[in-house]
């Protein structure tokens, strides 16, 4: 399960417009960015976890509903969540969280960055 979900999650993140990935911190933390801003971090080791930007109110709700979602590990606890990908949820659940994270970052881009992103359509 884990490898298949890992591939699908990484593929979904990279399918986002102008998304790129790199390993700027170490060999085990893959960082996904749009316009130079992080929207997802993936732990390449077990347990398989992803960290995502999240609306603060939604983050509180998600953490209260799901035991596998906790405040962002080594990140701003108000704006980030860390999700243990354990396969108890369908892939669509994780994809929606990635979409939300990506949109949180895009919403904070400058007008010129948003225009540049739009011009790549």
């Amino acid at each position: 399960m884990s490898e298949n979900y890992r591939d699908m999650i990484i593929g979904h993140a990279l399918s986002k417009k102008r998304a790129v990935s790199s390993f700027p911190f170490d060999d085990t933390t893959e960082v996904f960015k749009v316009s130079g801003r992080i929207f997802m971090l993936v732990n390449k080791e077990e347990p398989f976890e992803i960290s995502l930007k999240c609306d603060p109110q939604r983050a509180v709700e998600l953490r209260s509903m799901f035991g596998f979602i906790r405040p962002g590990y080594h990140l701003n606890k108000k704006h980030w969540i860390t999700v243990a990908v354990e396969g108890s949820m369908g892939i669509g659940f994780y994809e929606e969280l990635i979409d939300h994270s990506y949109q949180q970052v895009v919403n904070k881009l400058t007008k010129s960055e948003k225009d540049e992103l739009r011009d790549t359509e």
Side-chain angles (χ1 to χ4, degrees):
M1 180 294 304
S2 177
E3 281 308 310
N4 193 25
Y5 267 43
R6 183 184 305 271
D7 292 344
M8 289 189 286
I9 284 170
I10 288 171
H12 186 72
L14 288 174
S15 77
K16 308 306 287 175
K17 193 181 300 179
R18 311 245 357 227
V20 296
S21 74
S22 64
F23 290 86
F25 306 125
D26 56 41
D27 293 339
T28 61
T29 308
E30 189 169 4
V31 176
F32 295 80
K33 296 180 180 182
V34 58
S35 296
R37 298 198 175 118
I38 299 172
F39 70 93
M40 183 171 84
L41 297 100
V42 174
N43 176 18
K44 296 298 241 177
E45 297 178 335
E46 294 298 328
F48 178 33
E49 296 180 327
I50 59 176
S51 293
L52 301 159
K53 190 108 183 195
C54 191
D55 170 76
Q57 184 175 341
R58 184 169 186 212
V60 170
E61 292 168 3
L62 287 168
R63 289 193 304 262
S64 70
M65 292 170 48
F66 302 104
F68 57 88
I69 298 178
R70 63 185 194 282
Y73 181 70
H74 287 303
L75 299 161
N76 181 314
K77 309 286 187 233
K78 181 178 178 181
H79 295 280
W80 287 85
I81 56 174
T82 294
V83 181
V85 181
E86 55 189 29
S88 61
M89 305 298 284
I91 191 64
F93 176 82
Y94 303 104
E95 289 175 344
E96 192 280 326
L97 292 176
I98 293 166
D99 294 346
H100 175 74
S101 179
Y102 178 87
Q103 197 57 53
Q104 289 289 299
V105 172
V106 168
N107 289 346
K108 297 291 184 184
L109 296 177
T110 65
K111 182 182 180 324
S112 63
E113 289 170 326
K114 287 178 185 175
D115 290 344
E116 185 178 304
L117 194 60
R118 230 182 333 274
D119 289 343
T120 61
E121 289 180 358

